Amino acid sequence: MLKETPKWYRSRGYLHFDLPINQEKATLLVTSPSRVAKHPFFPLISYVVLSKKISKDQSTGTLNVVTKDRPIAYSAHKDSHIYAYYSQILSEKYEKELIKNNLQDSILAFRELGKSNIDFAYEAFCRIKSLGECSAVALDFSKFFDTLDHDLLKKSWANLLGKQKLPTDHFNVYKSLTKYSKVDKATLYKALSISINNPKNGRFRVCNASEFRSMVRDKGLIETNKSRYGIPQGSPISALLSNIYMLEFDKEMKRFVDIYNGYYYRYCDDMLFIVPTELRNTVAGFAAKHVKALKVSINPKKTELRSFKKVGDTLISEQMLQYLGFMFDGENIYIRSSSLARYVVAH
């Protein structure tokens, strides 16, 4: 009888600095804290995804297309299994913390909820509708993953484990994601004469150990993160770590809105507060104060303060609320023009 495949194990077909390993070998590695504590992590292979952002010129009504770089880095096969396994360990503890603090309906991103942005936006708009006269405050972080403070992440990680400091295995995983190194994919493939369009072509890995030393390391292709902040996007654990980083902040925000029978939602770096109108400016200031302690910053260009009031039986706002790609005027929900235009441009 075949053993059931654990949730953390996934066979990855891409080329990297190491060879893929089967479930049995992966299990022996990831379930041994001593092996993980001594495991040498390979550099990530990085590339940039170009995403198109659409903005509307209010004076002319024309749409402007702005290209935005989104850096992605993917880890070696053994490294990915370790990240996925430790992500599962941390996720189980994190979910218990959310339930304990009544945050299970507030934290929306990077969890197995079986819902999409459509559901999250609709539920938030329904909350506003049910409250009637109220205010919504939408805040957004600037360069979220790039600015996560390493010391705060380590402290949050240890707190989740109920420890004063990280155990040696967890610390090695933490170190690999904070003092991470990476190699640009295009530069790497060019140095090793690997085709971008047909990279495998008989290959099972990017290069062997000797080639790694002479063609990658000694040629200076490896770039190391020497700052005290930022984690790479793309590893199987990075998204969860961003949630763990925010846990104490989320607790504070939830406690605050609960006092006034309000609601708090966070989708990665997008926060939404739904509170009585008289608290509109207070909650924005309260959040901004606590954000400073996280050593991240709010993007003022994306801050929205919207008040909803009743005119007869109709709930209206002086300006539509934008949230997760949708817009709400108190009665009707619309798809943002930029979201629709992005779809049109992509197709």
Side-chain angles (χ1 to χ4, degrees):
M1 181 182 292
L2 291 173
K3 292 183 179 179
E4 183 180 351
T5 303
K7 289 174 67 176
W8 59 265
Y9 180 82
R10 182 162 65 87
S11 179
R12 296 169 172 85
Y14 54 69
L15 291 180
H16 217 289
F17 294 118
D18 64 346
L19 293 167
I21 57 173
N22 61 30
Q23 181 182 322
E24 183 180 359
K25 289 182 178 179
T27 301
L28 287 173
L29 170 63
V30 304
T31 57
S32 170
S34 61
R35 287 189 182 184
V36 172
K38 297 174 183 176
H39 179 75
F41 288 83
F42 271 114
L44 303 158
I45 294 179
S46 65
Y47 62 99
V48 172
V49 173
L50 299 178
S51 61
K52 291 184 174 67
K53 187 171 182 180
I54 315 298
S55 62
K56 188 175 182 179
D57 189 318
Q58 298 299 328
S59 60
T60 63
T62 57
L63 295 177
N64 300 316
V65 180
V66 179
T67 302
K68 184 179 179 182
D69 292 349
R70 181 168 172 254
I72 299 293
Y74 57 102
S75 45
H77 296 284
K78 289 179 182 177
D79 301 351
S80 289
H81 293 312
I82 292 173
Y83 291 146
Y85 181 76
Y86 276 72
S87 179
Q88 181 174 302
I89 291 173
L90 294 173
S91 180
E92 290 171 0
K93 294 182 179 295
Y94 177 72
E95 289 295 326
K96 288 179 182 177
E97 279 295 305
L98 292 186
I99 293 170
K100 178 182 173 182
N101 292 278
N102 198 26
L103 277 163
Q104 65 271 27
D105 295 325
S106 293
I107 310 307
L108 309 176
F110 315 132
R111 297 174 59 215
E112 295 180 1
L113 300 175
K115 295 181 179 180
S116 69
N117 284 11
I118 297 172
D119 302 297
F120 299 141
Y122 179 72
E123 288 170 11
F125 298 152
C126 284
R127 290 292 189 192
I128 294 172
K129 188 82 172 169
S130 66
L131 283 178
E133 297 201 344
C134 63
S135 285
V137 177
L139 305 174
D140 189 288
F141 293 122
S142 298
K143 298 182 179 180
F144 186 49
F145 282 88
D146 294 337
T147 57
L148 299 186
D149 182 83
H150 293 168
D151 289 338
L152 288 179
L153 174 61
K154 183 167 60 175
K155 182 180 179 182
S156 300
W157 194 329
N159 285 344
L160 186 65
L161 295 174
K163 305 285 186 181
Q164 286 293 107
K165 65 177 185 177
L166 290 176
T168 53
D169 56 327
H170 283 263
F171 180 75
N172 195 32
V173 178
Y174 156 82
K175 190 169 62 174
S176 75
L177 289 158
T178 51
K179 298 303 178 186
Y180 64 91
S181 57
K182 63 182 181 179
V183 178
D184 177 69
K185 182 177 180 179
T187 305
L188 175 67
Y189 277 28
K190 183 178 180 180
L192 296 170
S193 300
I194 298 175
S195 167
I196 289 287
N197 299 319
N198 185 24
K200 291 190 174 178
N201 195 25
R203 287 178 180 266
F204 298 97
R205 63 197 296 182
V206 168
C207 59
N208 59 35
S210 175
E211 290 170 327
F212 178 80
R213 288 190 293 270
S214 63
M215 303 290 289
V216 180
R217 187 190 64 190
D218 294 349
K219 294 291 184 181
L221 301 188
I222 300 174
E223 179 186 345
T224 303
N225 180 36
K226 295 179 180 178
S227 67
R228 300 185 63 82
Y229 51 84
I231 62 173
Q233 295 184 58
S235 85
I237 197 173
S238 296
L240 173 63
L241 291 181
S242 73
N243 271 346
I244 292 171
Y245 186 91
M246 295 293 297
L247 183 56
E248 291 304 315
F249 175 88
D250 292 331
K251 289 178 186 178
E252 283 295 323
M253 297 305 105
K254 185 67 167 63
R255 279 195 287 264
F256 182 84
V257 298
D258 280 352
I259 293 172
Y260 303 99
N261 297 315
Y263 298 94
Y264 168 64
Y265 300 102
R266 183 175 62 79
Y267 187 96
C268 187
D269 53 0
D270 286 311
M271 293 171 285
L272 179 67
F273 301 83
I274 303 170
V275 294
T277 297
E278 60 269 22
L279 286 175
R280 190 178 87 159
N281 295 327
T282 303
V283 73
F286 182 80
K289 176 184 174 183
H290 283 78
V291 162
K292 285 184 179 179
L294 291 172
K295 298 185 180 180
V296 293
S297 58
I298 289 174
N299 184 351
K301 292 181 180 178
K302 293 187 177 181
T303 296
E304 294 194 16
L305 288 80
R306 304 286 183 261
S307 292
F308 295 85
K309 61 181 181 180
K310 280 283 187 74
V311 176
D313 294 329
T314 304
L315 188 66
I316 64 167
S317 174
E318 76 280 7
Q319 204 173 340
M320 283 198 281
L321 170 68
Q322 299 187 56
Y323 182 58
L324 299 182
F326 296 88
M327 301 170 70
F328 182 58
D329 63 4
E331 293 291 327
N332 303 298
I333 301 170
Y334 305 91
I335 229 178
R336 281 179 60 188
S337 58
S338 58
S339 301
L340 188 59
R342 187 159 54 240
Y343 175 84
V344 172
V345 169
H347 291 72

